[in-house]
Amino acid sequence: WASSLSNSEPLAGDCELAEFTVPVELTASISSKTRFYAVYPVSAVDAASSTIPVINVTVPTVQSPSDGNFDKDADLMWAYSEKTYSVIPEESVPLIWDRPLAHLDLSIKSLGISTEESIESIIISSGSKIAGKCKLELQSGKLSISEGSTGISIDPSNLTISSSGDLHFIVPVIAGNISSLTVDINTPSGCYKKNVNSTLALLANRRNTVTLDFSGVEPVGGVDPAKE
């Protein structure tokens, strides 16, 4: 078989079958056994700079999660075929999917902003690299950092804060132990900041729950309307 990267055809919202347009130079040899691999989403893959069996991927440093959920374009997935093939398969190829990333399941509690205020941005930063450019080994699914970032910017457009100041969303991040975690929530009044100054173990293919209580946290850098 030739080693090559191919994009699937556009997928429906809920879809169990992906169709690929395979290059004509892809041929089979009776003496060889071939396993198929896949990566999702295609936007994460830099095919032009990749050298199979290692491909260059990016965990986004800007993400747009929704309430209780994650940005699907940030959720890097890797798959391999259940069996090997010595001839070109005529039917669909079953794949086993795995997630090399960790899900940071973040709950914000009791954020003291007024009902008239809006959240402009959320910045998640760490003492360790949690996003950025990585290398993915197709045969093992191993992910290694090449040009990492210690911060992720959250677009809050799809997030809703409750009347009690609660907010819940999920952020796909590079798995591993991180030495600290800081969440900055920026509003017109200023920045609400909360730190976790202890090591967190963010496990791959797991929801890693972190709850931050913002009770009593005052904004920094804003203007107090009462003093104007």
Side-chain angles (χ1 to χ4, degrees), residues 44 58-63 71 73-75 101 130-132 151-153 171-172:
T58 299
V59 180
T61 55
V62 178
Q63 300 185 20
D71 184 342
D73 287 335
D75 193 34
L101 299 182
I130 55 174
I152 295 176
S153 177
V171 186

Side-chain angles (χ1 to χ4, degrees), residues 112-149:
I113 69 173
S114 67
T115 55
E116 292 78 19
E117 252 186 320
S118 61
I119 296 176
E120 296 177 333
S121 67
I122 302 173
I123 306 298
I124 298 172
S125 53
S126 167
S128 308
K129 294 177 179 179
I130 55 174
K133 295 182 179 180
C134 301
K135 293 186 179 297
L136 177 66
E137 297 180 14
L138 285 179
Q139 293 168 307
S140 66
K142 180 182 178 181
L143 191 70
S144 57
I145 301 171
S146 52
E147 296 179 32
S149 171

Side-chain angles (χ1 to χ4, degrees), residues 52-76:
I52 299 175
V54 177
I55 62 173
N56 296 323
V57 296
T58 299
V59 180
T61 55
V62 178
Q63 300 185 20
S64 301
S66 56
D67 292 330
N69 214 329
F70 52 87
D71 184 342
K72 292 177 174 56
D73 287 335
D75 193 34
L76 182 68

Side-chain angles (χ1 to χ4, degrees), residues 24 31 44 54 60-61 74 90 123 125 142 149 151 156 160 170 172 202 222 227:
V24 294
S31 61
V54 177
T61 55
E90 296 182 357
I123 306 298
S125 53
K142 180 182 178 181
S149 171
T160 306
I170 299 170
L202 301 180
K227 295 181 180 180

Side-chain angles (χ1 to χ4, degrees), residues 30-190:
I30 297 298
S31 61
S32 66
K33 291 284 187 179
T34 292
R35 190 178 298 278
F36 289 89
Y37 299 92
V39 178
Y40 171 91
V42 66
S43 59
V45 179
D46 184 356
S49 67
S50 297
T51 304
I52 299 175
V54 177
I55 62 173
N56 296 323
V57 296
T58 299
V59 180
T61 55
V62 178
Q63 300 185 20
S64 301
S66 56
D67 292 330
N69 214 329
F70 52 87
D71 184 342
K72 292 177 174 56
D73 287 335
D75 193 34
L76 182 68
M77 300 282 286
W78 162 79
Y80 58 95
S81 58
E82 291 182 335
K83 61 181 182 179
T84 58
Y85 297 83
S86 57
V87 296
I88 297 177
E90 296 182 357
E91 299 181 352
S92 61
V93 176
L95 298 174
I96 298 173
W97 288 89
D98 197 3
R99 177 180 287 112
L101 299 182
H103 275 183
L104 176 59
D105 192 333
L106 194 59
S107 290
I108 307 297
K109 299 292 185 181
S110 303
L111 181 65
I113 69 173
S114 67
T115 55
E116 292 78 19
E117 252 186 320
S118 61
I119 296 176
E120 296 177 333
S121 67
I122 302 173
I123 306 298
I124 298 172
S125 53
S126 167
S128 308
K129 294 177 179 179
I130 55 174
K133 295 182 179 180
C134 301
K135 293 186 179 297
L136 177 66
E137 297 180 14
L138 285 179
Q139 293 168 307
S140 66
K142 180 182 178 181
L143 191 70
S144 57
I145 301 171
S146 52
E147 296 179 32
S149 171
T150 58
I152 295 176
S153 177
I154 300 298
D155 176 359
S157 302
N158 299 317
L159 298 176
T160 306
I161 186 166
S162 72
S163 58
S164 57
D166 295 348
L167 196 65
H168 176 218
F169 56 94
I170 299 170
V171 186
V173 299
I174 296 171
N177 293 333
I178 62 173
S179 57
S180 64
L181 182 71
T182 300
V183 176
D184 293 307
I185 301 178
N186 297 298
T187 74
S189 295

